[in-house]
Amino acid sequence: MLTIRNLHVSVEGRPILKGLNLEVLAGQVHAIMGPNGAGKSTLAAVLAGREGYEVTEGEVLFEGQNLLDLGPEERSHAGLFLAFQYPVEIPGVSMVQFLRAALNAHRAAKGLEPLDTADLMALLREKAALLKLDPSFLTRSVNEGFSGGERKRAEIFQMAVLDPKLAILDETDSGLDIDALKVVAEAVNALRAPHRAFLIITHYYRILQHIQPDVVHILADGRIVRSGGPELALELEEKGYEPLILPA
Amino acid sequence: MKLAEAPTLSLEAGASHLTEVLRGYASAEGLPPSLREAWQAHARQAHLEALFLDQKHKEDWKYTPLSFLRRPWKLAPPVQASPPVSLAFSGQAAELVLPSEDLPALRSLPAPTSVWEALLTPAASLQHYALSQEGYFVLAPHGTGELSVHAATLSVAPGTQAEVLVAPSGSGFLLVRLHLDAGEGAQVRFFLPAGGGAHDLFVYVLVTARLAQEAQVETYDLTASVGWKRSEVRVYLSGVQAQAHLHGAAIVGQGSVVDHAIRVEHAVPHTASNQLFKALVYKGGHSAFQGRIFVHPHAQKTNAYQSHKALLWEPGAVAYSRPQLEIFADDVRCTHGVTTGFLEGEMLFYLRARGVPEEQARHLLAQGFLEEVLSRVPQEALRGWARQAMGFAE
Ligand SMILES: Nc1ncnc2c1ncn2[C@@H]1O[C@H](COP(=O)(O)OP(=O)(O)OP(=O)(O)O)[C@@H](O)[C@H]1O
Ligand SMILES: [Mg+2]
């Protein structure tokens, strides 16, 4: 589904990703762990198409398509979703307005008619309930005044609405209380499917106890330095990064 | 075919020309002597002649392009240039206190049943100004090159409510000078919409208001598309618990000037004021905001808030913002913030990353930016009008 080959990325002339390789197959859940500043969010940003990141080498294929050629909205239409580490507030734009525009753009890209209001609201209410979000949040401005945990849940809510093929979760578990973490994990697990994949960026073993990954990677200094099964996350939890990153 | 160009005056000549025109209006020439005196008295109260005297030297006009002064404005016919009037609102009905009952122009004007109905009726069928139970309104379709003057003193009885609507349309220059005396606990709302795409529409609204104890004034200044508009609002909070809530939302397009000059004076303890202004400025547009808060030495427990945000849509947009806080009391809560800047890339990316195409994302963000003000407009009809005029109707 996603193939990253020898990806080099610079920000303001400074190399951040330095030859990253990754292969994610449909149906899989991959976890990416790594120290602060390793380049995890940079990877997420480059995949989603944020400006200001210069790809100096390498390629990214998403379902056979060259992902880097597409604008952010086209990547979204193709089935890519990024749950942001720091979701931004959008004053004056309600969640309903926002998701109506997003969903209808997705539908237009597939040659479908816009959803009518009743169907749209039914869908949004259903997914809000799944994330245990109060329906009133649909009419509030996007992320405005949301608590840290509410923002993270709102990201997963949007993911559930947009039904992506590949979802990248950038530290969605940070800032969630224990119950909210369960709610989010359940929503992700409910969406696990043979045609869908997840890339979960996290610092904590805890979320991976709820969402069993197929593969765990350690990203350090712009590269994947180790990959393994779920036990790698446990090992990290016990020993910390240093012994695992340092060449033996 | 070559269009005849409007003769242009120098700024000085334009200012003295306008001053002369207003002097003519105030002198009520051509009226029978019995009417003339009252008319003149009202006009004097409005200080009309003083408005344009060397304003380009005045601090208050520092950021305001004065291109309108270059036109040789001539006074519109009497129906459009309404007499200076005095209006008393007492709750049951509004009473028009005229210089005389014999003024033909006013008598012949039927008052529509609702101010809001009037706003939504096509301009051509409207009277130029009228009065209803709810309030007073000025809707002035003009001729190009004509100056239409409206001066009114509104006195609102204690404990009553009134609404004032100034909704210019068409082209020409509309000058509105209103003074409000709000009695104890009175509540008055001013709605100042302008829009509809006319670039030869020039509007100057000057509102002064004096508020007694517990009185409240609200203004909603909504500008979609005009050539030049200046709204000057000066509120004097002279009674405890008096409040002023002033709002503005503007779209400032190519060749357009939108200017707010606000002055709020807290003269006694325990008063509150609130200024919330937003302008979305396109290339070639010019937005100016001056917000002055003056707190008298003994006006303790004043609560004053001011926010002005200008969103520059693209390079070539111009916005000036000038907060002036003069606070002479020490137990005061005063917060203010002015920001001027381009669209945040982070917001745009967030929307696009969810699949919203760039153009549409920018449109949503523009709407969201102004919605903070629009959502506070307490009249659904006007809210709808503004969203439509600003291009945000769903
Ligand atoms: N826009 C930017 N401008 C300048 N430097 C940047 C920018 N984005 C990322 N960097 C730098 O790139 C490096 C990697 O940052 P990134 O956010 O990808 O790390 P991370 O692995 O997600 O860390 P964390 O675990 O703290 O979230 C950091 O040194 C960061 O300062
Ligand atoms: Mg990060």
Side-chain angles (χ1 to χ4, degrees):
Chain A
M1 173 170 277
L2 179 74
T3 306
I4 304 177
R5 289 199 197 104
N6 190 32
L7 186 64
H8 287 255
V9 173
S10 296
V11 179
E12 290 166 6
R14 188 179 136 211
I16 307 288
L17 297 183
K18 304 165 183 173
L20 188 140
N21 293 292
L22 183 66
E23 174 87 42
V24 179
L25 304 177
Q28 288 186 328
V29 173
H30 287 231
I32 295 187
M33 306 180 79
N36 294 129
K40 303 182 298 295
S41 294
T42 302
L43 173 63
V46 170
L47 293 178
R50 190 195 290 270
E51 278 175 27
Y53 294 80
E54 195 196 346
V55 177
T56 52
E57 236 186 294
E59 64 173 351
V60 179
L61 298 176
F62 180 56
E63 299 212 298
Q65 249 191 116
N66 188 349
L67 192 69
L68 302 176
D69 287 348
L70 306 177
E73 53 273 59
E74 294 166 314
R75 299 180 195 203
S76 171
H77 300 163
L80 190 84
F81 181 91
L82 168 62
F84 286 70
Q85 184 173 2
Y86 305 109
V88 66
E89 292 187 5
I90 319 248
V93 179
S94 74
M95 195 60 93
V96 172
Q97 262 181 311
F98 168 43
L99 285 178
R100 173 188 285 138
L103 259 180
N104 286 338
H106 277 246
R107 292 176 64 88
K110 294 190 185 83
L112 297 172
E113 292 291 302
L115 266 188
D116 71 43
T117 302
D119 291 344
L120 173 76
M121 291 313 294
L123 174 67
L124 299 186
R125 286 206 194 94
E126 180 206 321
K127 302 301 182 189
L130 183 68
L131 271 303
K132 302 209 161 53
L133 284 162
D134 191 283
S136 72
F137 111 111
L138 293 173
T139 50
R140 286 169 61 185
S141 294
V142 177
N143 297 328
E144 196 181 38
F146 288 16
S147 75
E150 280 171 343
R151 284 190 198 200
K152 297 303 182 75
R153 261 191 293 167
E155 292 289 288
I156 300 307
F157 157 76
Q158 291 178 44
M159 178 185 84
V161 170
L162 293 174
D163 193 22
K165 290 181 188 153
L166 173 65
I168 304 164
L169 276 48
D170 191 357
E171 293 197 27
T172 300
D173 54 333
S174 302
L176 287 180
D177 66 39
I178 295 161
D179 292 345
L181 183 71
K182 276 196 190 133
V183 168
V184 162
E186 274 165 25
V188 170
N189 285 329
L191 285 169
R192 285 183 80 156
H195 66 279
R196 204 187 322 264
F198 291 87
L199 201 55
I200 297 179
I201 297 172
T202 182
H203 286 294
Y204 306 107
Y205 178 60
R206 204 180 49 169
I207 189 173
L208 303 179
Q209 288 177 297
H210 295 284
I211 308 171
Q212 270 284 319
D214 299 296
V215 189
V216 175
H217 307 276
I218 301 176
L219 200 168
D221 194 24
R223 281 183 213 99
I224 304 275
V225 294
R226 272 191 70 170
S227 300
E231 70 286 349
L232 182 57
L234 188 61
E235 198 182 338
L236 263 182
E237 179 86 354
E238 284 162 1
K239 299 183 186 163
Y241 286 114
E242 233 169 276
L244 293 173
I245 294 172
L246 290 174
Chain B
M1 196 182 78
K2 192 174 181 295
L3 289 173
E5 287 198 1
T8 54
L9 308 172
S10 70
L11 293 181
E12 290 75 10
S16 44
H17 170 74
L18 261 180
T19 304
E20 275 314 303
V21 170
L22 290 173
R23 229 173 241 150
Y25 169 84
S27 72
E29 255 168 64
L31 280 184
S34 57
L35 296 182
R36 205 184 294 167
E37 205 171 300
W39 178 304
Q40 286 168 346
H42 281 288
R44 249 198 316 280
Q45 249 182 351
H47 291 297
L48 290 173
E49 306 100 291
L51 289 180
F52 295 101
L53 284 177
D54 47 62
Q55 71 276 63
K56 74 190 168 59
H57 304 299
K58 276 196 248 161
E59 274 292 288
D60 295 5
W61 289 78
K62 201 164 159 188
Y63 302 107
T64 314
L66 297 172
S67 49
F68 72 99
L69 280 180
R70 297 184 182 279
R71 304 198 175 197
W73 298 103
K74 64 178 199 303
L75 203 60
V79 179
Q80 275 152 293
S82 67
V85 292
S86 212
L87 304 167
F89 295 92
S90 57
Q92 292 309 307
E95 189 190 337
L96 190 56
V97 187
L98 287 173
S100 158
E101 290 302 312
D102 299 334
L103 275 173
L106 258 187
R107 219 181 31 195
S108 65
L109 293 179
T113 43
S114 151
V115 170
W116 306 105
E117 210 174 285
L119 178 66
L120 299 171
T121 312
S125 66
L126 287 174
Q127 303 300 342
H128 303 294
Y129 54 93
L131 183 70
S132 79
Q133 198 168 310
E134 299 158 48
Y136 172 68
F137 60 102
V138 180
L139 302 136
H142 329 269
T144 305
E146 285 179 348
L147 168 68
S148 171
V149 182
H150 297 260
T153 307
L154 315 157
S155 92
V156 178
T160 61
Q161 303 179 356
E163 293 186 334
V164 179
L165 172 70
V166 178
S169 63
S171 60
F173 189 170
L174 174 66
L175 171 61
V176 179
R177 170 72 181 94
L178 303 172
H179 175 75
L180 165 71
D181 262 311
E184 250 178 58
Q187 293 186 8
V188 186
R189 286 176 176 158
F190 288 87
F191 299 100
L192 311 171
H199 264 73
D200 48 359
L201 176 62
F202 297 73
V203 183
Y204 180 15
V205 184
L206 169 55
V207 178
T208 51
R210 192 187 171 88
L211 273 62
Q213 190 171 325
E214 286 172 32
Q216 183 171 323
V217 66
E218 295 168 28
T219 63
Y220 299 90
D221 195 311
L222 308 169
T223 310
S225 178
V226 293
W228 184 93
K229 179 179 175 186
R230 176 175 170 98
S231 312
E232 235 175 290
V233 177
R234 300 181 199 151
V235 181
Y236 189 82
L237 301 164
S238 70
V240 292
Q241 309 288 1
Q243 293 181 39
H245 301 275
L246 315 178
H247 307 81
I251 289 196
V252 190
Q254 168 88 42
S256 172
V257 174
V258 177
D259 177 19
H260 297 286
I262 308 295
R263 182 194 163 100
V264 177
E265 230 177 295
H266 295 261
V268 298
H270 294 284
T271 57
S273 71
N274 217 317
Q275 302 174 35
L276 180 62
F277 288 83
K278 289 197 160 192
L280 170 59
V281 193
Y282 292 96
K283 185 178 170 188
H286 184 115
S287 147
F289 174 85
Q290 288 184 77
R292 195 148 172 233
I293 297 173
F294 189 97
V295 181
H296 286 234
H298 49 278
Q300 305 296 358
K301 305 283 180 199
T302 285
N303 205 332
Y305 173 84
Q306 178 187 76
S307 163
H308 176 252
K309 291 185 183 153
L311 177 57
L312 306 175
W313 199 242
E314 55 214 336
V318 174
Y320 289 99
S321 206
R322 186 169 177 230
Q324 287 171 283
L325 309 180
E326 292 166 74
I327 299 170
F328 298 99
D330 44 28
D331 187 8
V332 164
R333 255 188 61 188
C334 184
T335 37
H336 76 110
V338 295
T339 57
T340 298
F342 292 98
L343 200 61
E344 252 185 65
E346 194 56 32
M347 290 190 200
L348 192 58
F349 176 61
Y350 189 82
L351 296 188
R352 293 180 68 193
R354 295 287 189 259
V356 184
E358 181 167 4
E359 268 311 295
Q360 202 187 345
R362 292 175 70 90
H363 188 77
L364 263 179
L365 291 173
Q367 177 173 9
F369 174 74
L370 293 175
E371 193 59 33
E372 189 187 353
V373 175
L374 297 184
S375 63
R376 290 176 199 223
V377 175
Q379 271 292 346
E380 200 175 334
L382 187 62
R383 233 175 12 242
W385 172 87
R387 287 187 181 130
Q388 188 89 38
M390 293 178 176
F392 298 140
E394 302 233 317

